[in-house]
Amino acid sequence: MKKAIFPGSFDPFTIGHYDILKRAAGIFDHIVVAIGNNPRKITFFSAAERRQHIETVCRDFPNAEAAVFEGLLINYVKKENINIIVRGLRVFSDFEYELQIGLANKDICDTIETVFMLPRPDHIFISSSMVKEIGKFGGEISKYLPQTIYTDIARRLQADA
Ligand code: PNS
């Protein structure tokens, strides 16, 4: 059983995340889309809101589920009997950070593999921060978000403007 986790902040979950989830769901038997909730980190969307968004998108995939974890990713991975960590790699600047986290996770637990997935070329520039910036100033963000969660995210961003 290849049980994978796709961890992230997902503040909010974008079309780029959705594409990685879709492809990962086709590769692995089960995939947990897990929000790493750090109470000290300020996010725009609460963990409950982000979980709701991810639960909605996971309805598209019978082998995907949403989760929230606190503390070390590796501890959660071991507790849930997960063996693969999936991370998206967009640009070169992502690499140094991902290498460090990936190696630290490998050092803590050698049996868990990190798998990096490349984005679709037309998604390379899409990030949660960019979507929040455009959305708060009333720009068009529907093409950057899964259709099922767009309305909720746009409404929340507009309310903050
Ligand atoms: O989308 P992000 O912000 O790049 O996600 C980062 C996340 C949540 C996956 C990462 O910060 C994480 O795994 N946090 C939990 C703490 C941890 O295990 N850190 C790695 C060891 S240094």
Side-chain angles (χ1 to χ4, degrees):
M1 171 92 170
K2 288 191 175 58
K3 191 172 176 187
I5 187 166
F6 179 26
S9 299
F10 305 124
D11 184 39
F13 194 91
T14 69
I15 199 88
H17 296 131
Y18 186 90
D19 182 59
I20 298 278
L21 167 60
K22 182 179 170 184
R23 286 153 53 208
I27 297 172
F28 304 108
D29 298 313
H30 190 80
I31 181 138
V32 181
V33 185
I35 299 158
N37 187 38
N38 179 350
R40 286 187 301 277
K41 189 171 163 183
I42 296 167
T43 56
F44 183 85
F45 295 95
S46 69
E49 285 175 305
R50 288 177 283 155
R51 187 190 184 119
Q52 178 64 58
H53 297 153
I54 293 169
E55 275 173 0
T56 302
V57 297
C58 281
R59 286 190 205 126
D60 293 348
F61 310 101
N63 59 339
E65 66 171 314
V68 180
F69 72 95
E70 282 185 13
L72 281 183
L73 172 62
I74 279 293
N75 288 346
Y76 180 77
V77 161
K78 286 199 279 194
K79 182 167 75 73
E80 297 296 320
N81 291 317
I82 291 167
N83 28 48
I84 298 144
I85 299 169
V86 173
R87 292 282 288 170
L89 257 190
R90 285 169 308 172
V91 286
F92 192 70
S93 53
D94 286 346
F95 182 73
E96 203 172 328
Y97 173 69
E98 294 300 334
L99 181 70
Q100 201 172 21
I101 293 194
L103 290 177
N105 286 336
K106 191 84 184 142
D107 195 51
I108 302 168
C109 183
D110 191 37
T111 56
I112 291 159
E113 295 295 341
T114 300
V115 172
F116 295 107
M117 292 184 67
L118 298 179
R120 278 169 45 148
D122 56 329
H123 286 170
I124 286 178
F125 68 98
I126 299 172
S127 69
S128 299
S129 317
M130 185 206 82
V131 170
K132 281 183 286 197
E133 181 87 354
I134 297 173
K136 280 182 193 175
F137 289 111
E140 178 54 52
I141 52 170
S142 63
K143 61 185 166 187
Y144 306 131
L145 294 165
Q147 188 235 320
T148 48
I149 57 175
Y150 156 70
T151 311
D152 183 64
I153 291 171
R155 182 181 45 76
R156 279 277 286 111
L157 288 168
Q158 282 290 301
D160 191 64

